[in-house]
Structure formats: structure tokens, C-alpha cells
């Protein structure tokens, strides 16, 4: 039981924003050290796949036991699962998908040819025909976990993948959860040693010199990695026609169904992402013709979206994020969720709409979760610290609890193998259905 606290940053403004990124070398949330090329024209950014990749390895069959109930116990159990996992061997040969890792920066390009798009669709349709015959109504999607190769995100990715496999098995062969790829931004696109444990696709992260121009805002590597994935034929290599974009701190508690349609994505509504009339001057500058009422309170994760829609959206998502970060007014206004705003404004610019789904819960000590809370949600997003006094009452806002469960405590090392259970009276503690 003892906790090793490596960092305890807090931020809150009453609107339940996500906490600040973990401490990582001058790189922001991803620990990446690079920045993009100057933003090019924003309106018509597109990517053309430069090569077709081999098929992504399928995830191995996970155990099918259901997850436990309360919030703190769920996150503690997940962290213990990662800590208990044995160390993986160092990188052997990179996967087929990783072989094109250290390429050049993405640049705007023309649309893929109609013939190429048709051929890809035909191939994917043939590959999934047997699934459709055996499971009428099944619309599978591919899990795409965006991350980087730091220790901080490696242990989170292992937890996420464990629960992905667990819930895919629970859904059975007719569930919508299909294949899985960990999309990793790393230095020079080099493998990080976990590719033997989970299917991985490596792309380069921005260099220190590049990212410096953008205030070392490392989360820009997220859209940059998706654009590189698209440019290298990653989407064409997936037999599923839909993608679920996940973050490393997503724990699946129930099987996730496909909530999207070919033309309409499914996303989560963030309370701090509502666009108002005060945003209009920035929209006029960066997305002419878009009104604030067009912008939905969504980000790029959790997101279930068709491949053609994401393929179309990704370059503009990246370019808008870069342009917003360079603008002092936009940077101050959007702050540490600027890349999420880049996504939502890009979607509005292209007329892409989302159905808003309550697919995840983001609890803290004040969330009032009860045993069985997970039955109403598919995703536990452990972005907030869960802070309690030893008597089971919440510690207070922006303070570290006498009992504390926060991913930021483990920015440079794995969580301990065995974690302390929540205090009596707290969610998941003795007397509340927990340990």
C-alpha cells in the first residue's frame, strides 16, 4: 500500500473541465516534443493514402468476467491490473503497420481517386460478408487508441486494451467491437516495446524544434498521428467501416455498440465545450461561414465515426488546431482543450454532425456514484482525481485526498502492484460494495 506521488497538479473553474495534462518533459499531455509545420490552407485539407498496409493483427480473446461496480474500485482495479502485468520484452521486429514510421510531415493533398475508394470499399465489404451473414444487423467498428510511447501512457494503454478485450469477449461474436490498433506517436516513429502485446501502428511525433513553435502543446500529436495513419493507407487496411477513437484513460465497463451511421458520427457531450456568441469572432476568422450554433460540444474522443468521414475530417482538424494555437486570442480562449475545439470547429466547417450519446462517465469524489453506476455507461474516463478523507467524505476541490487515486501520481512509473482500497464510506470502500 503506500502511494508514490510524482505529481499533483489540479485545475478547476466550476465547469468540470478536464484536469491539466500530466507533467512530462516540456511536451504537454502527450509527452511529445515537437511541433507541426506552419498551417497551410485550412479549407481544403485532404490526404491521399501513399501505400496500402497489411492487415492489422487481431486482438486475442480476453476473459469475459464482468467488471466490478463503484467508481474508485473500478479505477483502482484497473491500475492494479497494469501494475501486475509482467514486463514486456524489448522491441523485436516492428509490426507491418509500423514499418513506414519515420515519414515526412503531412501536407494537404487531393482526394483519393474514385477508383481507389471503390476498390477499398469492395475489399472491405467482401471481408465482412461472412460476419453480416452470421450476425444480421452487426455493424463492426475498429478500436483506434491514440497515444504515445511514454511510460505514463504505456501503463494506461495496457489497462485500456485489457478491458477492450474483456468487453469484446463479453459482447460475443455478434458484438460490434472488432479489431484494435494502438496508434502510437513516438520519436522518429520507433517501436516502444509493447507492439508484441497489442497491435500497434507507429508514426513520428513532432520534433522538439517543431513543437516549440506551438508552445510545446504535445496534444497536437493526436490529429497529426491520425493524418499520418490515413496518409499511409491505415484506414484502407482495416476491414471495419467504422472507427472508435479512444484515449488511454478510457476503461470499457460494458460492450460498446456502434452508435454511428455512415454519415453521422456518435460522440460525447462535454460540459465545457459549449460554443456561444462570444466565440463568433474566432469562428469568422478561422472558419468563415460557420456560426456558433453549428459547433457541437464534442471532441475527437470518445468518438465512433465512419472511415470516410474521419478521413475527410482529420486534415482540417489538424490544420485548424495548429492555426488556433498560433493565434494568441484563440490560444487563451481555448486553452488546454484547444485541440478538441479544433476538431469540433473542423466538423462544423465540413457539415459533419454528431449524435450526442451519454457513453461515458467522468466521476470524481463529488460525483455521487452508486454501486452499479456502470450499467448506464460503457466507458469510465478516469481523467479526474478521486480524493477522499479517511472517513470516506470528499477531501475538497483542488486538493489531494488522504486517500487519493489520480493517474497523475504515476507520470513516470507504473502504479503499485497492490493499491489501497477506498476508505470505508467512499464509493467502492467497505460497506459500499467494494474491497
Amino acid at each position: 500500500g503506500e502511494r508514490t506521488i510524482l505529481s499533483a497538479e489540479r485545475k478547476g473553474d466550476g465547469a468540470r473541465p478536464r484536469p491539466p495534462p500530466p507533467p512530462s518533459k516540456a511536451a504537454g499531455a502527450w509527452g511529445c516534443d515537437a511541433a507541426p509545420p506552419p498551417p497551410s490552407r485550412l479549407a481544403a485539407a485532404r490526404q491521399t493514402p501513399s501505400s496500402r498496409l497489411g492487415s492489422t493483427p487481431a486482438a486475442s480473446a480476453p476473459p469475459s468476467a464482468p467488471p466490478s461496480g463503484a467508481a474508485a474500485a473500478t479505477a483502482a482495479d484497473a491500475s492494479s491490473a497494469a501494475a501486475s502485468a509482467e514486463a514486456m520484452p524489448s522491441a523485436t521486429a516492428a509490426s507491418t503497420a509500423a514499418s513506414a514510421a519515420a515519414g515526412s510531415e503531412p501536407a494537404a493533398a487531393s482526394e483519393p481517386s474514385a477508383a481507389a475508394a471503390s476498390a477499398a470499399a469492395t475489399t472491405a465489404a467482401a471481408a465482412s460478408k461472412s460476419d453480416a451473414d452470421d450476425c444480421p444487423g452487426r455493424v463492426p467498428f475498429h478500436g483506434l487508441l491514440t497515444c504515445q510511447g511514454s511510460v505514463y501512457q504505456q501503463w494506461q494503454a495496457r489497462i485500456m486494451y485489457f478491458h477492450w478485450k474483456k468487453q469484446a469477449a463479453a459482447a460475443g461474436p455478434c458484438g460490434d467491437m472488432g479489431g484494435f490498433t494502438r496508434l502510437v506517436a513516438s520519436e522518429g516513429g520507433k517501436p516502444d516495446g509493447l507492439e508484441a502485446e497489442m497491435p500497434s501502428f507507429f508514426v513520428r511525433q513532432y520534433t522538439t524544434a517543431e513543437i516549440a513553435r506551438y508552445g510545446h502543446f504535445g496534444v497536437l500529436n493526436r490529429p497529426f498521428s491520425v493524418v499520418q495513419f490515413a496518409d499511409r493507407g491505415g484506414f484502407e487496411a482495416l476491414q471495419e467501416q467504422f472507427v472508435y477513437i479512444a484515449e488511454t484513460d478510457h476503461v470499457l465497463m460494458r460492450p460498446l455498440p456502434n452508435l454511428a451511421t455512415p454519415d453521422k458520427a456518435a460522440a460525447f457531450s462535454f460540459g465545457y465545450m459549449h460554443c456561444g456568441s462570444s466565440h463568433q469572432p474566432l469562428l469568422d476568422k478561422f472558419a468563415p461561414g460557420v456560426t456558433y450554433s453549428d459547433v457541437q460540444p464534442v471532441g475527437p474522443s470518445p468518438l465512433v465515426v465512419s472511415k470516410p468521414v474521419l478521413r475527410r475530417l482529420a486534415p482540417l482538424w489538424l490544420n485548424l488546431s495548429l492555426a488556433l494555437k498560433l493565434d494568441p486570442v484563440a490560444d487563451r480562449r481555448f486553452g488546454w482543450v484547444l485541440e478538441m475545439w479544433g476538431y469540433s470547429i473542423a466538423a462544423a466547417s465540413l457539415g459533419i454532425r454528431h449524435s450526442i450519446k451519454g457513453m461515458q462517465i467522468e466521476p470524481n469524489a463529488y460525483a455521487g456514484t452508486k454501486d452499479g453506476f456502470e450499467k448506464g455507461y460503457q466507458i469510465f474516463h478516469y481523467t479526474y482525481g478521486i480524493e477522499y478523507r479517511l472517513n470516506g467524505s470528499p477531501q475538497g476541490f483542488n486538493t489531494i485526498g488522504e486517500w487519493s487515486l489520480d493517474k497523475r501520481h504515476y507520470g513516470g512509473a507504473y502504479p503499485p502492484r497492490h493499491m489501497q482500497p477506498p476508505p470505508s464510506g467512499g464509493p467502492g470502500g467497505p460497506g459500499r460494495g467494494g474491497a
Side-chain angles (χ1 to χ4, degrees), residues 26 54 57 72 85 105 122 143 148 164 198 200 226 228 257 298 306 345 362 394 411 413 430:
E105 300 157 359
T122 300
Q148 56 104 8
W164 168 275
M198 64 190 89
S200 300
V226 174
Q228 291 179 83
V298 299
S306 69
I345 295 172
E362 302 177 305

Side-chain angles (χ1 to χ4, degrees), residues 80-376:
S80 295
S84 300
E86 298 196 4
M88 293 302 300
S90 58
T92 54
S95 64
T96 302
S99 62
S104 59
E105 300 157 359
S110 60
E111 290 282 2
S113 69
S118 176
T122 300
T123 301
S128 61
K129 184 178 186 300
S130 60
D131 284 343
D133 291 342
D134 296 338
C135 304
R138 180 177 186 251
V139 185
F141 59 84
H142 192 93
L144 190 66
L145 175 61
T146 58
C147 66
Q148 56 104 8
S150 66
V151 170
Y152 178 73
Q153 291 211 337
Q154 283 181 331
W155 67 255
Q156 293 180 53
R158 297 176 81 183
I159 292 172
M160 192 277 167
Y161 185 50
F162 173 87
H163 287 279
W164 168 275
K165 293 190 296 179
K166 184 176 181 177
Q167 297 308 325
C174 290
D176 290 337
M177 296 172 66
F180 179 94
T181 299
R182 182 179 63 124
L183 178 57
V184 189
S186 63
E187 185 176 356
K190 297 176 182 177
D192 66 347
L194 293 186
E195 62 276 3
E197 180 176 338
M198 64 190 89
S200 300
F201 185 111
F202 294 91
V203 296
R204 81 171 187 91
Q205 65 186 30
Y206 286 127
T207 67
T208 303
E210 288 172 326
I211 205 70
R213 186 182 178 208
Y214 296 85
H216 298 282
F217 190 54
V219 76
L220 291 171
N221 280 286
R222 187 192 310 280
F224 185 36
S225 67
V226 174
V227 167
Q228 291 179 83
F229 184 75
D231 188 48
R232 292 175 188 155
F235 290 123
E236 286 77 9
L238 308 181
Q239 71 174 26
E240 301 90 348
Q241 294 304 297
F242 290 82
V243 172
Y244 158 55
I245 298 184
E247 297 180 3
T248 55
D249 58 356
H250 287 178
V251 171
L252 283 163
M253 304 179 294
R254 300 170 60 202
L256 181 66
N258 189 338
L259 302 169
T261 67
D263 299 319
K264 196 170 189 179
F268 178 75
S269 176
F270 291 94
Y272 47 84
M273 289 285 294
H274 288 280
C275 197
S277 57
S278 62
H279 293 92
Q280 193 60 51
L282 287 172
L283 295 177
D284 291 341
K285 181 175 182 179
F286 292 99
V290 173
T291 65
Y292 70 86
S293 60
D294 297 327
V295 181
Q296 294 182 283
V298 299
S301 179
L303 175 74
V304 184
V305 60
S306 69
K307 292 191 298 185
V309 169
L310 182 56
R311 185 100 170 66
R312 181 173 163 232
L313 209 167
L316 188 55
W317 166 26
L318 171 62
N319 282 348
L320 270 173
S321 297
L322 303 182
L324 292 171
K325 187 63 182 174
L326 286 178
D327 184 87
V329 176
D331 192 23
R332 284 194 301 270
R333 183 64 188 264
F334 296 133
W336 46 270
V337 291
L338 179 145
E339 168 264 348
M340 296 172 65
W341 280 97
Y343 172 87
S344 61
I345 295 172
S349 298
L350 296 173
I352 295 168
R353 304 295 293 173
H354 304 74
S355 58
I356 304 299
K357 304 292 184 181
M359 63 179 80
Q360 76 174 9
I361 187 171
E362 302 177 305
N364 59 23
Y366 286 92
T369 54
K370 300 178 181 178
D371 293 339
F373 78 96
E374 78 280 0
K375 294 179 181 178

